[in-house]
Amino acid sequence: MTLKRFSLFVFLYIVSAIAYAAIPSGYYTTATGSGATLKTQLYNIINGHTERSYAQLWTDFQTTDAKSNGKVWDMYSDIPNSTPPYEYTFISNQCGNYSGENSCYNREHSFPKSWFNDATPMYSDLFHLYPTDGYVNGQRGNLPFGEVSSPDWTSQNGSKKGTNTYPGFSGAVFEPIDDFKGDFARTYFYMATRYENVIAGWEKYDSNGDAVLNGTAFPAFETWFLNMLGEWHVADPVSAKETARNDAVYGIQGNRNPFIDHPEYVYSIWGVGQTATGAIAPAIVNPTASNISNTAALLGANITSTGSAPVTESGIYYSTNNGFANGAGTKVTGSATTTGAFTVQLSGLNPATSYYYKAFATNSGGTAYTSQGSFTTTNVIVPQIEAGRIVNPNSALNFGKVSSTADKALRIKTSGATGNLTVTVTGNGFSASTTSITQASANNGYNLTIYFAPTTTGNYNGTLTISGGGLTPEYMVQLSGEK
């Protein structure tokens, strides 16, 4: 390969890596269920990945498992936040033969290949294959992961082999160090999900696999092992290493490990691994025109919890400030302790004003917010003098903006009149302009109706004049059919 072609390859590879450095938009849109249903929904998202050859993994590891110093990230020899006993260089330290620890690195099937009868595409699936010290890999063999109190053998970074002391199984196991237990747990949750169409048949292939697998697609694992994985998942949360590796494998295979992207899926599916990583409100239900008036709006959102911790509060903040900070503005509480759809009623708003809002939800992991929504209240339809009361018997009236051409009615209520009244309405669209109210009928509800049949939407200005009656009464004016 010429230098020019090699440079072009490197450039294209870097561009590709950058393009896959995040969860693709909408990747988990169809993952909406729980239990076995959610597991199958995830299977439908991540299956059918691009299969690699076993030989290609040597090269792939240089992308998926490189430390910041360029050395091999070997979870059987590395000690995070400390100096590892040894490190390997890619390619030059690949295994041929080894005589002891710190000889070379090879390709570890963290989910042993004998458990699935060396079948493809599992055999070369990067999500469970890691570069590890060849000798330590050999010590582990195809033993299940477990917990060891009195090890028969211990690696230089503290990984152990011996009798399992986790309740439910008493056979030989291999225990990685605490810093990587969550990595391996999420690897196994991936395997049970990516291969849910075939995993039920793996139990028969190997006795060590039989100790872990229960011969079903769901839950796939024996109870003891499932409980242990759940504890490891919580005790060792998703790290930057895992997130970067997930992105890198996605760039190669075209699928992702959902339990790295969404740790809460573990509890949602298996009921283990209780996390309290916050709450999210993934969707704002934008209000329709019928839910907005000149002084109020009905808004909604759909809340889901990211973990087992219950939502303790949810609702909406709103403000006239576009881009207001999370938690600022006016808070309206919705469904306080449950997930799902909810609505909140905003009142006391200003007419013809733009408002911005964010849904929120809170649990023990913190508070999370949606992206911002907005709406605009309608114009004033009736006079806003003392909540719609006109106290002057000769009042100019701006009928305001009419939002539909459906028939309306101007209804007038009087009180305190001692004589007959004359009501005159002048303005576009009214079917009557002058009507009299007799004193006898002046105290019975809305006792005058003047029909209003606008031909178009928009502003209708007019004048309302009330005379007679002997006193200066109050008049309640309402435009029926509008807020």
Side-chain angles (χ1 to χ4, degrees), residues 399-460:
F399 299 112
K401 185 176 182 179
V402 174
S403 61
S404 74
T405 58
D407 286 349
K408 311 291 185 278
L410 186 66
R411 302 192 300 171
I412 301 173
K413 180 179 181 180
T414 66
S415 63
T418 59
N420 294 343
L421 305 176
T422 300
V423 180
T424 303
V425 180
T426 57
N428 184 25
F430 283 91
S431 58
S433 60
T434 302
T435 305
S436 295
I437 304 177
T438 64
Q439 187 265 340
S441 62
N443 297 301
N444 298 316
Y446 289 105
N447 47 21
L448 176 65
T449 299
I450 301 178
Y451 292 103
F452 178 34
T455 57
T456 61
T457 60
N459 292 310
Y460 283 83

Side-chain angles (χ1 to χ4, degrees), residues 363-429:
N363 67 12
S364 59
T367 300
Y369 299 81
T370 62
S371 57
Q372 188 162 291
S374 64
F375 66 92
T376 301
T377 52
T378 60
N379 285 345
V380 179
I381 300 301
V382 297
Q384 296 300 296
I385 302 174
E386 296 183 9
R389 293 182 180 273
I390 301 175
V391 297
N392 187 336
N394 296 288
S395 302
L397 174 63
N398 182 347
F399 299 112
K401 185 176 182 179
V402 174
S403 61
S404 74
T405 58
D407 286 349
K408 311 291 185 278
L410 186 66
R411 302 192 300 171
I412 301 173
K413 180 179 181 180
T414 66
S415 63
T418 59
N420 294 343
L421 305 176
T422 300
V423 180
T424 303
V425 180
T426 57
N428 184 25

Side-chain angles (χ1 to χ4, degrees), residues 35 53 71 139 141 179 189 202 209 231 258 268 304 364 431 439 469:
S53 72
K71 298 293 186 178
Q139 287 291 316
D179 300 85
F189 289 130
W202 294 353
E231 292 178 14
S268 296
T304 60
S364 59
S431 58
Q439 187 265 340

Side-chain angles (χ1 to χ4, degrees), residues 65-87:
D65 294 273
K67 294 183 182 181
S68 59
N69 64 0
K71 298 293 186 178
V72 176
W73 201 321
D74 169 14
M75 291 190 286
Y76 289 172
S77 65
D78 186 64
I79 304 176
N81 302 313
S82 184
T83 302
Y86 53 86
E87 291 182 310

